[in-house]
């Protein structure tokens, strides 16, 4: 049984061991491409699914990491978008809110959620306004945030 869920793993760039057997890697696409710029996109999840509606039972994982796309706009040829995906400008608040709900639902009680966010186009304040869950701590002065949440008995 996998104890950790990476809910939108992309190319697994932040993992020291991207073959860690304790981790279930999920993304909503499988895709391989070598770009002219030299960037490699290698999205090869264990499970192809949507973070807004995850195919897992409640209380399944001890740790969930949630690193959704953080860009709303970029040039049509942007390698960043190809590699990291893009939010829907019409629905991103609802989409991210559903993602948080699902992460908490599949977490075990007292489990930990790590949320990664880059403030390039959407502020931390605005992204946190999409959910009722409150982070415990994170590197508040940085532009890229790693926030820690814990699931409580009373939640989800
Ligand atoms: C910021 S990237 C993740 C980067 C990854 N953590 C890494 O270390 O390389 C976001 C990923 O979320 C995926 N994604 C976008 N919408 C999704 C959805 N609704 N459900 C699951 N994954 C989604 C994208 O395909 C993209 O690979």
């Amino acid at each position: 049984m996998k104890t950790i869920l990476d809910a939108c793993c992309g190319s697994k760039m932040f993992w020291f061991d991207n073959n860690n057997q304790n981790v279930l890697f999920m993304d909503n696409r499988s895709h391989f491409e070598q770009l002219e710029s030299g960037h490699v996109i290698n999205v090869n999840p264990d499970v192809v699914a949507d973070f807004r509606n995850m195919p897992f039972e409640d209380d399944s994982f001890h740790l969930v990491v949630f690193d959704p796309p953080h860009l709303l706009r970029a040039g049509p040829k942007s390698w960043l978008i190809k590699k990291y995906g893009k939010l829907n400008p019409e629905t991103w608040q609802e989409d991210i809110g559903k993602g948080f709900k699902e992460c908490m639902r599949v977490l075990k009680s007292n489990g930990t959620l790590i949320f990664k966010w880059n403030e390039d186009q959407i502020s931390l304040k605005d992204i946190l306004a999409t959910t009722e869950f409150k982070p415990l701590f994170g590197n508040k002065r940085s532009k890229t945030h790693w926030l820690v949440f814990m699931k409580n008995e009373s939640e989800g």
Side-chain angles (χ1 to χ4, degrees):
M1 178 64 204
K2 310 270 187 183
T3 52
I4 303 168
L5 172 69
D6 183 345
C8 27
C9 65
S11 301
K12 308 177 188 169
M13 300 296 286
F14 62 43
W15 287 93
F16 289 101
D17 174 7
N18 64 15
N19 192 31
N20 185 320
Q21 292 302 301
N22 296 319
V23 185
L24 188 68
F25 292 100
M26 180 180 117
D27 204 283
N28 67 347
R29 60 180 173 148
S30 279
H31 184 68
F32 181 87
E33 194 177 346
Q34 179 129 29
L35 304 178
E36 282 175 18
S37 60
H39 296 98
V40 175
I41 298 156
N42 185 12
V43 183
N44 183 23
D46 302 315
V47 178
V48 175
D50 189 330
F51 60 61
R52 297 168 300 180
N53 183 19
M54 299 187 196
F56 312 118
E57 299 197 347
D58 298 357
D59 308 322
S60 294
F61 302 95
H62 292 271
L63 174 66
V64 175
V65 55
F66 185 34
D67 178 20
H70 60 272
L71 295 176
L72 285 167
R73 54 186 182 274
K77 290 187 180 160
S78 161
W79 70 268
L80 278 171
I81 296 273
K82 286 194 167 175
K83 186 148 181 139
Y84 298 116
K86 179 171 165 287
L87 293 169
N88 181 330
E90 314 274 297
T91 60
W92 64 268
Q93 285 106 327
E94 194 188 337
D95 296 337
I96 297 290
K98 282 183 182 167
F100 270 112
K101 260 208 178 96
E102 281 292 86
C103 288
M104 285 299 186
R105 180 182 68 74
V106 303
L107 256 186
K108 288 183 187 292
S109 192
N110 296 316
T112 304
L113 168 64
I114 310 283
F115 173 63
K116 181 172 174 232
W117 190 249
N118 181 290
E119 291 194 283
D120 221 20
Q121 296 182 0
I122 299 173
S123 70
L124 186 63
K125 183 169 160 280
D126 288 348
I127 204 74
L128 288 176
T130 65
T131 180
E132 78 260 30
F133 301 109
K134 304 283 178 227
L136 295 170
F137 57 87
N139 45 350
K140 294 198 288 186
R141 291 187 181 178
S142 170
K143 195 174 169 192
T144 299
H145 299 272
W146 294 80
L147 301 182
V148 178
F149 296 70
M150 191 172 185
K151 179 172 177 175
N152 293 318
E153 293 288 352
S154 56
E155 288 172 355

